[in-house]
Amino acid sequence: MIERFDFSDLRELFAKANEEKSGDQLAGIAARSERERVAAKRKLADLPLDEIVQRPLIDPSNDDVTRLILGTYDQQAFYPLASMTVGEFREFLLDDRTADIQIQQIQSAIIPEIAAAVAKLMSNKDLVLAAARIRNVTRCRNTMGERGVLGIRAQPNHPADDIGGILLSAFEGLLYGCGDAVIGVNPATDSVATVSSILIALNRLVDAYEIPTQTCCLAHITTQLAALNQGAPVDLLFQSVAGTEAANRSFGITLNMLREGQQQVLEHHRQRDVRWIGDNVMYFETGQGSALSAEAHHGVDQLTLEARAYGVARAFQPFLVNSVVGFIGPEYLADERQIIRAGLEDHFMGKLLGLPMGCDVCYTNHAAADQNSADNLLLLLTAAGCNYFMGVPCSDDVMLNYQSTSYHDALAARRLFHLQPAPEFLAWLQNMGIYRGDEPASLDSSVRKQLMRGLESSLEKAI
């Protein structure tokens, strides 16, 4: 007996072609069998790219993210790709003759839905191979994303926002060679006073040691800007973003707020006596399932909505973009297999769209995953050329109560793949005696005492 599958529109086709995700099942849009999934993938492979552009999954009259996407992609650069099918585009990206410069030349022509479509046709190995070709370089106080570089965000969170505890944890990360991507703190309390004190303390630590890196306090954008207006130093402006207007509204943001915030921080940078080597000042975090959790998914699958969040991020030339892949919970990514798949998808799509992609390789304590799961994704993403990972003391975030990757994990990934910190940061590590050549040094007692004396001084000033 012949089994036939019909797909009523592109939204259904996209959803049914997606790999298994508990979030799509929760939304009631997932394929009901592997046969249906394969049928959807085959039909999607024959779909011309131009048809994806011409038939938006979410009506632009009802969604400002769709309007942003359709209003900012490079139509002239897209013209040579328009007749190509999704399957042919996949072959182009995986062809050994396709150079990285060719992909860079078309990044601005690719809308997020095209990136999502081609990701659905790729195996995990394909996602690694295609992403590894692409390097998206950004600059703020240092340079991130170059080939041969693996950055680490030092994440010195504290459950009570204790400044001394935050600085000690950040300092520990520096001794491991971590913190070149950013020293970024998630505050336990989203208040202007707390955010200001954290930003001022981190800035004093960076100034005391003349560290070529960025700092950030990951509060709501309005709280950060209020702290800036009261005199706090802001290197990177953070915000979580999503792939629909309604989902962003659930975060308490609009696209205009992001534009205005970006301009305020750029002006703030021009007024500060700091050596900036670039104008990438935004830091965005995303995660598959965020729109569904806000009941703002419009019947679109979570992979495609994640790609649309990258369409939002791309419009603001960010310094860092981070998929917090397993943080949202097993309702959306149930287990190790789904978390690994989502992490590879997110990284590939972001890189294809021109973004400086990092990943918080993480899981919640009620997901069917463990630290071996995190190790597996960490190594796959390192092979794929991920820009940066998280550095959390002992992998256990004591404030956010989830499991991530540690300072030790960062060293292991760098050593296994022969990677280094950001070039300006590496020179600082070498000057401080923390690195000898390209490798971490075993700090002798005199070097440790000198560093600790400096830390004590900066602690006194910060507190």
Side-chain angles (χ1 to χ4, degrees):
M1 187 179 76
I2 297 175
E3 190 173 12
R4 297 184 60 87
F5 297 97
D6 294 314
F7 307 101
S8 59
D9 56 21
L10 285 189
R11 277 189 297 188
E12 183 180 7
L13 178 63
F14 270 55
K16 296 295 177 64
N18 206 17
E19 289 296 305
E20 183 180 359
K21 303 283 177 61
S22 54
D24 292 337
Q25 293 167 342
L26 179 65
I29 60 175
R32 289 162 291 187
S33 68
E34 286 302 315
R35 292 189 299 276
E36 186 177 30
R37 194 185 323 278
V38 170
K41 286 178 184 288
R42 291 186 63 178
K43 187 171 181 62
L44 182 63
D46 292 333
L47 187 70
L49 301 187
D50 188 53
E51 190 168 343
I52 297 175
V53 174
Q54 298 302 323
R55 297 169 59 189
L57 301 186
I58 301 176
D59 190 341
S61 64
N62 299 323
D63 184 82
D64 63 1
V65 172
T66 302
R67 294 196 295 274
L68 175 72
I69 290 168
L70 296 179
T72 56
Y73 83 102
D74 188 336
Q75 297 184 41
Q76 185 173 356
F78 177 70
Y79 182 75
L81 306 174
S83 61
M84 189 181 289
T85 66
V86 177
E88 290 168 342
F89 188 49
R90 172 187 175 275
E91 294 302 313
F92 166 77
L93 293 174
L94 294 172
D95 194 321
D96 288 339
R97 295 167 296 181
T98 301
D100 56 352
I101 186 66
Q102 292 175 270
I103 298 175
Q104 290 173 4
Q105 289 170 346
I106 62 170
Q107 284 176 324
S108 61
I110 301 167
I111 68 168
E113 288 84 350
I114 289 175
V118 73
K120 294 171 190 292
L121 302 185
M122 288 186 166
S123 69
N124 287 6
K125 172 179 56 63
D126 293 340
L127 294 169
V128 171
L129 181 61
R133 287 206 177 119
I134 308 169
R135 304 307 306 188
N136 298 323
V137 179
T138 53
R139 294 176 176 85
C140 187
R141 285 199 190 197
N142 63 22
T143 306
M144 287 299 304
E146 293 179 323
R147 196 167 297 279
V149 169
L150 174 61
I152 304 295
R153 169 190 159 186
Q155 186 170 304
N157 295 344
H158 192 282
D161 291 327
D162 178 76
I163 296 299
I166 289 170
L167 291 179
L168 282 168
S169 180
F171 191 79
E172 180 190 20
L174 294 170
L175 293 179
Y176 281 101
C178 299
D180 52 341
V182 62
I183 303 175
V185 175
N186 298 87
T189 303
D190 193 320
S191 71
V192 176
T194 296
V195 170
S196 295
S197 64
I198 291 172
L199 288 171
I200 291 168
L202 292 178
N203 186 64
R204 284 176 174 166
L205 177 64
V206 167
D207 284 351
Y209 287 100
E210 299 180 337
I211 309 170
T213 191
Q214 303 69 222
T215 63
C216 184
C217 186
L218 285 73
H220 192 270
I221 185 174
T222 55
T223 311
Q224 294 170 80
L225 292 174
L228 183 153
N229 291 330
Q230 292 187 12
V234 175
D235 290 354
L236 297 180
L237 184 64
F238 165 81
Q239 183 55 51
S240 295
V241 294
T244 70
E245 179 179 356
N248 284 323
R249 195 182 306 122
S250 77
F251 290 155
I253 63 166
T254 64
L255 298 182
N256 280 335
M257 288 172 63
L258 297 177
R259 294 188 189 99
E260 292 169 4
Q262 180 187 35
Q263 291 306 310
Q264 285 188 52
V265 174
L266 285 169
E267 180 59 31
H268 169 67
H269 280 203
R270 286 189 281 268
Q271 295 172 1
R272 286 174 64 190
D273 185 20
V274 173
R275 183 174 178 268
W276 309 102
I277 65 172
D279 288 334
N280 302 119
V281 300
M282 304 298 284
Y283 174 13
F284 294 118
E285 287 191 347
T286 66
Q288 288 195 30
S290 59
L292 175 59
S293 69
E295 298 183 351
H297 61 102
H298 297 277
V300 177
D301 67 277
Q302 63 185 39
L303 166 61
T304 303
L305 292 172
E306 179 72 1
R308 285 168 56 90
Y310 301 149
V312 173
R314 181 168 67 175
F316 298 94
Q317 300 85 46
F319 182 71
L320 304 171
V321 177
N322 179 37
S323 167
V324 193
V325 65
F327 184 75
I328 200 166
E331 298 84 1
Y332 307 95
L333 297 170
D335 53 27
E336 173 181 356
R337 180 183 176 211
Q338 293 186 19
I339 292 171
I340 287 176
R341 175 68 190 186
L344 296 177
E345 290 168 342
D346 295 353
H347 177 256
F348 161 74
M349 294 188 301
K351 292 281 281 294
L352 182 59
L353 292 167
L355 292 175
M357 287 302 298
C359 186
D360 190 347
V361 177
C362 63
Y363 59 96
T364 57
N365 290 314
H366 61 309
D370 58 22
Q371 211 60 36
N372 287 328
S373 312
D375 287 348
N376 292 340
L377 180 53
L378 175 75
L379 296 179
L380 285 168
L381 283 172
T382 306
C386 192
N387 278 27
Y388 69 101
F389 299 111
M390 304 298 109
V392 178
C394 299
S395 305
D396 185 5
D397 193 300
V398 295
M399 195 282 284
L400 291 173
N401 194 30
Y402 79 119
Q403 309 305 311
S404 185
T405 51
S406 70
Y407 300 140
H408 300 81
D409 295 331
L411 288 180
R414 283 173 174 166
R415 183 172 289 117
L416 280 169
F417 289 87
H418 307 289
L419 302 172
Q420 299 175 354
E424 302 87 351
F425 192 80
L426 176 60
W428 176 81
L429 291 170
Q430 293 166 337
N431 185 58
M432 295 295 291
I434 299 171
Y435 265 51
R436 288 199 178 97
D438 297 338
E439 291 288 332
S442 298
L443 299 181
D444 59 35
S445 58
S446 63
V447 173
R448 287 187 179 277
K449 287 179 181 178
Q450 179 182 354
L451 291 171
M452 290 307 295
R453 281 195 296 270
L455 175 62
E456 289 171 2
S457 174
S458 62
L459 277 171
E460 290 172 2
K461 293 177 181 177
I463 296 173

